Amino acid sequence: GPMSKTRLLIVDDDPELRSFLSTELGVEGYGCEQAGTAQEALGMIRGQSWDLVLLDWGLPDFSGVEVCRRMRSGGIATPVLMLTGHDEVRERVEALDSGADDYLTKPFSIPELQARVKAILRRIDRQQAAVGPGEISDALVFGELTIDPASREVRVGPRPVALTAREFDLLLHFARNPGRVFTRLQLLDAVWGTTFEGYEHNVNTHINRLRGKIEADPADPRSVLTVRGVGYRFTDPRIDGARAAASR
């Protein structure tokens, strides 16, 4: 059938800015809806499916960061582009820690906004297209952990695990390179497509979240290991088991 329109939800308490962004992004062919408060936004996010949420940091009832936190803790993985009023590393870090995919500092130019929106949507498309239609995708299996790149589903034993898009990409990147040590910057580049300062801390947060969801004991991880002073490595229990046996 015809391509369904990409749906964007624009959340900002300034009605003029909202309609301006809606018009500008509408020209690009996106279907835009608007919300003016955090509560209204959450209702729309929970009740409908969106391709991307443009979320203002400073909303009248509670912050965009809180909206994002509630989305992520409710298992809603829709990409979020946070609009912040201050270009402070602390704010950036907080936006990303809450589960936002990217952020843009006001004032921004329309071409810059369009580029960010395209980049996020392209990343999601690319991940979904990594497995062509009708192609048999081999699930990656590591002990109890099963990762299916086609359906983007993860299970620990029989239990499905709800990951955000970014958590899934991080896990998939690790799983496709078992045993390899990655620095935070290498992970940023591969998974976030950026090497912004202030994002490195965000890698740690995502690793901790991922461990909280896939490790039997997040405090004593067995899959995603920290390599002191370097970064992280994902272990395949079979490889590591063989190594341990060989070194006995």
Side-chain angles (χ1 to χ4, degrees):
M3 283 291 293
S4 56
K5 234 183 192 177
T6 299
R7 302 188 68 231
L8 306 189
L9 178 61
I10 299 169
V11 186
D12 198 297
D13 60 342
D14 176 347
E16 278 181 32
L17 180 61
R18 271 200 323 262
S19 8
F20 174 63
L21 295 181
S22 198
T23 306
E24 291 292 334
L25 289 163
V27 172
E28 294 283 294
Y30 301 121
C32 299
E33 303 269 327
Q34 304 174 26
T37 67
Q39 287 292 12
E40 186 189 358
L42 276 172
M44 292 174 80
I45 290 163
R46 287 174 179 146
Q48 304 171 47
S49 91
W50 303 93
D51 293 289
L52 177 63
V53 178
L54 256 65
L55 185 55
D56 186 46
W57 177 287
L59 293 165
D61 40 356
F62 48 88
S63 77
V65 163
E66 183 56 29
V67 172
C68 205
R69 281 204 185 105
R70 291 188 193 188
M71 284 172 68
R72 298 309 185 225
S73 65
I76 298 170
T78 310
V80 170
L81 174 57
M82 188 87 73
L83 308 175
T84 72
H86 312 279
D87 188 16
E88 287 175 23
V89 172
R90 187 183 53 78
E91 281 220 344
R92 236 183 294 181
V93 163
E94 209 179 323
L96 295 165
D97 276 355
S98 69
D101 291 74
D102 205 347
Y103 67 90
L104 196 52
T105 310
K106 293 177 175 178
F108 49 80
S109 70
I110 289 298
E112 192 182 358
L113 173 66
Q114 288 166 340
R116 287 299 175 88
V117 167
K118 272 205 188 83
I120 294 177
L121 295 171
R122 198 169 50 230
R123 199 163 53 224
I124 302 293
D125 278 350
R126 200 172 56 227
Q127 284 143 13
Q128 284 160 353
V131 177
E135 197 178 310
I136 303 293
S137 104
D138 291 335
L140 300 157
V141 181
F142 301 93
E144 288 277 276
L145 182 67
T146 306
I147 304 161
D148 184 344
S151 61
R152 295 177 67 81
E153 284 168 1
V154 175
R155 289 192 311 281
V156 173
R159 179 176 63 86
V161 181
L163 298 182
T164 66
R166 197 49 65 82
E167 289 162 356
F168 180 86
D169 297 340
L170 181 59
L171 179 58
L172 187 58
H173 183 66
F174 274 132
R176 284 182 167 155
N177 300 279
R180 197 173 142 198
V181 178
F182 291 101
T183 65
R184 288 177 185 81
L185 278 175
Q186 286 171 329
L187 291 171
L188 273 178
D189 193 43
V191 179
W192 278 256
T194 183
T195 46
F196 287 146
E197 156 224 11
Y199 268 74
E200 280 195 60
H201 158 87
N202 192 238
V203 174
N204 306 1
T205 311
H206 271 76
I207 298 270
N208 291 338
R209 272 210 210 120
L210 192 53
R211 283 175 174 162
K213 293 179 180 183
I214 68 168
E215 301 279 5
D217 175 8
D220 180 20
R222 293 276 177 249
S223 296
V224 181
L225 306 186
T226 300
V227 181
R228 290 224 173 279
V230 188
Y232 300 98
R233 121 185 131 85
F234 179 82
T235 65
D236 183 335
R238 292 162 304 192
I239 296 174
D240 278 46
R243 268 194 205 133
S247 65
R248 271 192 202 114

